[in-house]
Short mmCIF file of all heavy atoms in Angstrom, two decimals:
data_model
loop_
_atom_site.label_atom_id
_atom_site.label_comp_id
_atom_site.label_asym_id
_atom_site.label_seq_id
_atom_site.Cartn_x
_atom_site.Cartn_y
_atom_site.Cartn_z
N TYR F 245 133.84 100.85 110.30
CA TYR F 245 133.86 99.75 111.26
C TYR F 245 134.58 98.53 110.69
O TYR F 245 135.43 97.93 111.37
CB TYR F 245 132.42 99.39 111.63
CG TYR F 245 132.27 98.10 112.40
CD1 TYR F 245 132.63 98.01 113.75
CD2 TYR F 245 131.78 96.95 111.78
CE1 TYR F 245 132.49 96.83 114.45
CE2 TYR F 245 131.64 95.76 112.47
CZ TYR F 245 132.00 95.70 113.81
OH TYR F 245 131.87 94.52 114.50
N SER F 246 134.27 98.18 109.46
CA SER F 246 134.88 96.99 108.85
C SER F 246 136.39 97.16 108.69
O SER F 246 137.16 96.25 109.01
CB SER F 246 134.24 96.71 107.47
OG SER F 246 132.90 96.32 107.61
N PHE F 247 136.80 98.34 108.23
CA PHE F 247 138.23 98.52 107.95
C PHE F 247 139.05 98.66 109.24
O PHE F 247 140.14 98.10 109.36
CB PHE F 247 138.45 99.74 107.07
CG PHE F 247 139.85 99.85 106.54
CD1 PHE F 247 140.27 99.06 105.47
CD2 PHE F 247 140.77 100.73 107.12
CE1 PHE F 247 141.57 99.15 104.99
CE2 PHE F 247 142.06 100.81 106.65
CZ PHE F 247 142.46 100.02 105.58
N THR F 248 138.53 99.40 110.21
CA THR F 248 139.30 99.62 111.44
C THR F 248 139.35 98.38 112.32
O THR F 248 140.35 98.14 113.01
CB THR F 248 138.71 100.79 112.25
OG1 THR F 248 137.32 100.53 112.53
CG2 THR F 248 138.84 102.09 111.48
N ARG F 249 138.29 97.57 112.29
CA ARG F 249 138.26 96.38 113.16
C ARG F 249 138.78 95.13 112.48
O ARG F 249 139.29 94.22 113.16
CB ARG F 249 136.82 96.12 113.65
CG ARG F 249 136.24 97.21 114.53
CD ARG F 249 137.01 97.35 115.84
NE ARG F 249 136.97 96.17 116.65
CZ ARG F 249 136.03 95.93 117.57
NH1 ARG F 249 135.04 96.81 117.76
NH2 ARG F 249 136.05 94.83 118.30
N PHE F 250 138.68 95.07 111.14
CA PHE F 250 139.03 93.83 110.46
C PHE F 250 140.05 94.03 109.34
O PHE F 250 140.44 93.07 108.69
CB PHE F 250 137.75 93.18 109.89
CG PHE F 250 136.72 92.92 110.95
CD1 PHE F 250 135.70 93.84 111.19
CD2 PHE F 250 136.77 91.78 111.73
CE1 PHE F 250 134.75 93.62 112.17
CE2 PHE F 250 135.82 91.55 112.71
CZ PHE F 250 134.81 92.48 112.94
N GLY F 251 140.46 95.28 109.09
CA GLY F 251 141.51 95.54 108.13
C GLY F 251 141.11 95.39 106.68
O GLY F 251 141.98 95.34 105.80
N SER F 252 139.81 95.31 106.41
CA SER F 252 139.35 95.14 105.04
C SER F 252 137.90 95.61 104.93
O SER F 252 137.14 95.53 105.90
CB SER F 252 139.45 93.67 104.62
OG SER F 252 138.85 93.47 103.35
N PHE F 253 137.54 96.10 103.75
CA PHE F 253 136.15 96.46 103.51
C PHE F 253 135.30 95.22 103.22
O PHE F 253 134.08 95.27 103.35
CB PHE F 253 136.04 97.43 102.32
CG PHE F 253 136.70 98.75 102.58
CD1 PHE F 253 137.72 99.20 101.75
CD2 PHE F 253 136.30 99.56 103.63
CE1 PHE F 253 138.34 100.42 101.98
CE2 PHE F 253 136.89 100.77 103.86
CZ PHE F 253 137.93 101.21 103.04
N MET F 254 135.93 94.13 102.84
CA MET F 254 135.22 92.88 102.57
C MET F 254 134.77 92.26 103.89
O MET F 254 135.57 92.09 104.81
CB MET F 254 136.13 91.91 101.83
CG MET F 254 135.58 90.50 101.69
SD MET F 254 134.32 90.32 100.44
CE MET F 254 135.35 90.26 98.95
N PRO F 255 133.49 91.91 104.04
CA PRO F 255 133.04 91.20 105.24
C PRO F 255 133.81 89.89 105.39
O PRO F 255 134.19 89.26 104.39
CB PRO F 255 131.55 90.94 104.97
CG PRO F 255 131.15 91.94 103.94
CD PRO F 255 132.38 92.17 103.10
N ILE F 256 134.04 89.46 106.62
CA ILE F 256 134.79 88.22 106.81
C ILE F 256 134.03 87.03 106.26
O ILE F 256 134.64 86.02 105.87
CB ILE F 256 135.16 88.00 108.29
CG1 ILE F 256 133.91 87.88 109.17
CG2 ILE F 256 136.07 89.09 108.79
CD1 ILE F 256 134.24 87.50 110.61
N SER F 257 132.70 87.12 106.18
CA SER F 257 131.94 86.04 105.54
C SER F 257 132.31 85.97 104.06
O SER F 257 132.45 84.87 103.50
CB SER F 257 130.44 86.27 105.70
OG SER F 257 130.06 87.55 105.21
N GLY F 258 132.46 87.13 103.42
CA GLY F 258 132.87 87.15 102.02
C GLY F 258 134.28 86.64 101.84
O GLY F 258 134.59 85.92 100.88
N ALA F 259 135.17 87.02 102.78
CA ALA F 259 136.56 86.54 102.71
C ALA F 259 136.60 85.02 102.86
O ALA F 259 137.37 84.34 102.16
CB ALA F 259 137.39 87.21 103.79
N ALA F 260 135.78 84.48 103.76
CA ALA F 260 135.74 83.03 103.96
C ALA F 260 135.24 82.33 102.71
O ALA F 260 135.71 81.24 102.35
CB ALA F 260 134.86 82.69 105.15
N GLU F 261 134.25 82.94 102.04
CA GLU F 261 133.69 82.34 100.84
C GLU F 261 134.55 82.58 99.60
O GLU F 261 134.27 82.02 98.54
CB GLU F 261 132.28 82.89 100.58
CG GLU F 261 131.26 82.57 101.66
CD GLU F 261 130.82 81.11 101.66
OE1 GLU F 261 131.44 80.30 100.94
OE2 GLU F 261 129.87 80.78 102.36
N SER F 262 135.57 83.41 99.73
CA SER F 262 136.42 83.73 98.58
C SER F 262 137.66 82.84 98.50
O SER F 262 138.46 82.98 97.57
CB SER F 262 136.87 85.20 98.64
OG SER F 262 135.76 86.06 98.55
N ILE F 263 137.83 81.95 99.46
CA ILE F 263 139.00 81.07 99.46
C ILE F 263 138.79 80.00 98.40
O ILE F 263 137.86 79.20 98.46
CB ILE F 263 139.19 80.43 100.85
CG1 ILE F 263 139.44 81.52 101.90
CG2 ILE F 263 140.34 79.44 100.82
CD1 ILE F 263 139.50 80.99 103.32
N GLY F 264 139.65 80.00 97.40
CA GLY F 264 139.49 79.07 96.28
C GLY F 264 138.74 79.74 95.14
O GLY F 264 138.06 80.75 95.33
N ARG F 265 138.84 79.20 93.94
CA ARG F 265 138.18 79.77 92.78
C ARG F 265 137.60 78.63 91.92
O ARG F 265 138.13 78.30 90.86
CB ARG F 265 139.18 80.59 91.94
CG ARG F 265 139.67 81.85 92.60
CD ARG F 265 138.60 82.95 92.59
NE ARG F 265 139.13 84.21 93.08
CZ ARG F 265 139.23 84.53 94.36
NH1 ARG F 265 138.82 83.69 95.27
NH2 ARG F 265 139.73 85.70 94.71
#
Side-chain angles (χ1 to χ4, degrees):
Y245 168 75
S246 293
F247 190 78
T248 56
R249 296 296 297 270
F250 303 95
S252 173
F253 295 121
M254 170 77 79
I256 61 173
S257 55
E261 297 287 10
S262 296
I263 298 174
R265 292 285 187 277

